[in-house]
Amino acid sequence: MSASTARLDLDGNTIKPITICMIGAGGFIGSHMCEKLMSETPHTVFAVDVHNDKIKHLLEPDSLPWAGRIHFHRINIKNDSRLEGLIKSSDLTLNLAAICTPADYNTRPLDTIYSNFIDGLPVVKYCSDNKKRLIHFSTCEIYGKTIGSYLPNNSPLRQDPAYYILKEDTSPCIFGSVEKQRWSYACAKQLMERLIYAEGAENGLQFTIVRPFNWIGPRMDFIPGIDGPSDGVPRVLACFSNNLLRREPLKLVDGGESQRTFVYIKDAIEAVLLMIENPGRANGHIFNVGNPNNEVTVRQLAEMMTQVYSKVSGEDSIKTPTIDVSSKEFYGEGYDDSDKRIPDMTIINKQLGWNPKTPIWEMLESTLTYQYKTYAEAIKQTIAKPVAS
Ligand code: NAD
């Protein structure tokens, strides 16, 4: 970015460079945020995480144009006294740190609850005590199931958007029973939202809460056995990518009937940048960030990814591209799911004028091109390796 280009906020004021403490900067969303902040803004980032593989290209070599504006701190926020100092010396904290893969919610519920609630408590407290702004990442899972999912199958009200569109300020949060441990994540995130909201109401904390609706793109999660554990189960995009790369059928949990709206990571982080640079418009708000126009069932997503992968790899798809598995078999006891997630966009539109742009076919093509270029060769080599007897 040229130093002479004055960047203006949505109200026409010059944007001053700030320092951002980004916790969870080494993850999927964090890596894209760091890239954008380095290449398009003058801001400085304290990048806090236990890993930095996804942002290594931004940290080295020292000759990069943004050298000196990004500093990596290998810190586990569970137990590191350096965290308060970093928050104190920043203008804004962005908290992305979380366990956020569905396969963990019912199998590691304690870790999930600690990570999404208890471990974040000091972050909120340091921001509140030191009068620092906080942008906290929550989730669309906070809404749980739609009201419509409780109506009889043949009810015409199921077609009425009032029964399924998810609105920040009016929709209820509908979770399954406590035995359905899948909801441990959503429930911990909800309590964290309520705590942050209360800190705002009672102690004047300046906060913004982001509810991402299935952001996808390059660098999401890991490919099991390549850059993550062989028995690990990442989120659906990486699960399906792994199956495609290995020429295995894509596993459809409970028929793949759940409906999701997918938004491209590069669109979504535009929204976060607007929140960062327009505090007057973002403070005190909870924002849905998703793409209501990109709704598909998980089965349709599998079919689309199979088609796009054939195009980018030049390989024909396999004879049986998908197989059905039960959620108990795939995720274990205590799994449950949201039926449908369409974000209402009124608040983000009004406050920040943000709209997602990328159609689903386009985002799948760029993401699968990345997956193929990054992993295809490594997978071929793993498959070719003789198994030790
Ligand atoms: P991610 O798993 O890729 O990134 C999270 C990062 O946090 C990881 O790099 C991890 O190492 C780090 N982290 C976790 N615990 C930590 C700790 N104790 N100390 C330091 N670092 C720690 O996930 P993501 O997709 O980038 O998601 C970021 C946030 O957005 C999460 O809060 C998640 O719940 C939320 N979210 C994301 C989506 C999505 O579509 N990607 C959807 C809903 C919610």
Side-chain angles (χ1 to χ4, degrees):
M1 200 204 57
S2 141
S4 59
T5 325
R7 300 180 66 256
L8 302 180
D9 68 15
L10 292 172
D11 298 304
N13 305 308
T14 305
I15 296 168
K16 295 199 187 83
I18 57 167
T19 299
I20 301 166
C21 175
M22 193 189 301
I23 305 168
F28 163 56
I29 297 175
S31 69
H32 287 274
M33 272 321 301
C34 287
E35 239 170 34
K36 190 162 186 79
L37 287 164
M38 290 306 109
S39 58
E40 292 178 28
T41 80
H43 308 310
T44 296
V45 172
F46 296 153
V48 173
D49 206 303
V50 285
H51 305 293
N52 68 6
D53 315 352
K54 295 185 183 181
I55 52 170
K56 265 221 163 97
H57 62 293
L58 301 172
L59 303 171
E60 293 161 9
D62 284 349
S63 54
L64 287 167
W66 46 77
R69 282 204 292 118
I70 181 161
H71 309 269
F72 177 66
H73 298 268
R74 196 177 300 278
I75 286 179
N76 185 334
I77 61 162
K78 270 181 187 297
N79 47 27
D80 201 304
S81 57
R82 289 173 293 173
L83 184 63
E84 184 169 14
L86 289 174
I87 291 178
K88 258 187 179 171
S89 19
S90 306
D91 301 289
L92 160 72
T93 294
L94 209 78
N95 189 10
L96 296 147
I99 286 179
C100 51
T101 35
D104 290 322
Y105 306 162
N106 58 314
T107 54
R108 297 170 58 205
L110 278 178
D111 287 342
T112 301
I113 293 167
Y114 271 80
S115 169
N116 285 285
F117 182 62
I118 311 279
D119 299 348
L121 292 178
V123 177
V124 181
K125 185 173 161 31
Y126 298 151
C127 289
S128 190
D129 289 355
N130 294 291
K131 304 276 172 245
K132 298 292 181 179
R133 202 181 154 214
L134 171 66
I135 298 184
H136 181 80
F137 275 69
S138 183
T139 174
C140 60
E141 292 226 357
I142 214 100
Y143 294 107
K145 302 184 185 219
T146 63
I147 312 174
S149 70
Y150 288 90
L151 293 169
N153 278 342
N154 58 359
S155 167
L157 290 177
R158 277 184 172 250
Q159 309 310 318
D160 180 342
Y163 290 82
Y164 62 80
I165 298 278
L166 303 170
K167 295 189 183 206
E168 296 94 328
D169 51 351
T170 54
S171 293
C173 303
I174 308 175
F175 303 152
S177 66
V178 171
E179 293 84 50
K180 298 284 185 200
Q181 296 204 74
R182 150 65 185 253
W183 301 106
S184 58
Y185 169 73
C187 204
K189 287 275 202 202
Q190 184 194 153
L191 190 54
M192 181 53 100
E193 281 200 21
R194 291 191 186 275
L195 179 99
I196 292 170
Y197 199 88
E199 277 290 347
E202 293 189 29
N203 296 326
L205 173 69
Q206 297 202 316
F207 73 86
T208 302
I209 290 171
V210 184
R211 292 183 182 163
F213 279 66
N214 295 81
W215 300 9
I216 60 171
R219 293 198 293 269
M220 185 165 197
D221 298 339
F222 58 89
I223 294 298
I226 303 296
D227 55 0
S230 345
D231 57 352
V233 183
R235 287 171 280 189
V236 66
L237 177 93
C239 268
F240 285 174
S241 302
N242 183 38
N243 297 142
L244 291 164
L245 286 154
R246 293 179 190 277
R247 300 187 64 71
E248 297 165 352
L250 279 58
K251 291 185 178 147
L252 295 177
V253 174
D254 293 341
E257 282 170 15
S258 306
Q259 290 165 292
R260 294 289 183 266
T261 49
F262 292 93
V263 64
Y264 193 42
I265 183 72
K266 292 194 192 297
D267 289 352
I269 60 168
E270 290 274 353
V272 184
L273 187 59
L274 286 167
M275 294 173 207
I276 293 175
E277 299 192 323
N278 293 275
R281 288 167 175 258
N283 283 344
H285 286 284
I286 299 176
F287 291 115
N288 286 343
V289 181
N291 189 336
N293 306 317
N294 279 345
E295 190 187 32
V296 288
T297 63
V298 173
R299 178 178 290 279
Q300 284 167 330
L301 177 74
E303 289 163 358
M304 292 167 98
M305 284 180 68
T306 303
Q307 205 176 316
V308 173
Y309 187 77
S310 274
K311 182 177 167 196
V312 303
S313 66
E315 296 165 7
D316 287 340
S317 56
I318 59 173
K319 224 174 179 181
T320 315
T322 58
I323 49 165
D324 286 342
V325 291
S326 72
S327 53
K328 195 168 168 193
E329 210 180 314
F330 193 80
Y331 286 120
E333 206 65 63
Y335 189 76
D336 198 4
D337 207 357
S338 331
D339 47 308
K340 189 173 173 76
R341 292 186 193 147
I342 303 190
D344 180 84
M345 306 299 289
T346 313
I347 297 182
I348 196 158
N349 254 295
K350 178 167 169 260
Q351 293 303 117
L352 303 170
W354 178 82
N355 278 303
K357 298 182 227 100
T358 314
I360 193 153
W361 286 106
E362 210 178 291
M363 71 174 91
L364 290 180
E365 181 154 347
S366 59
T367 306
L368 286 172
T369 302
Y370 170 87
Q371 303 288 56
Y372 182 73
K373 281 192 185 151
T374 312
Y375 296 108
E377 194 49 44
I379 297 236
K380 259 186 214 142
Q381 285 176 17
T382 333
I383 293 171
K385 251 189 216 157
V387 183
S389 56

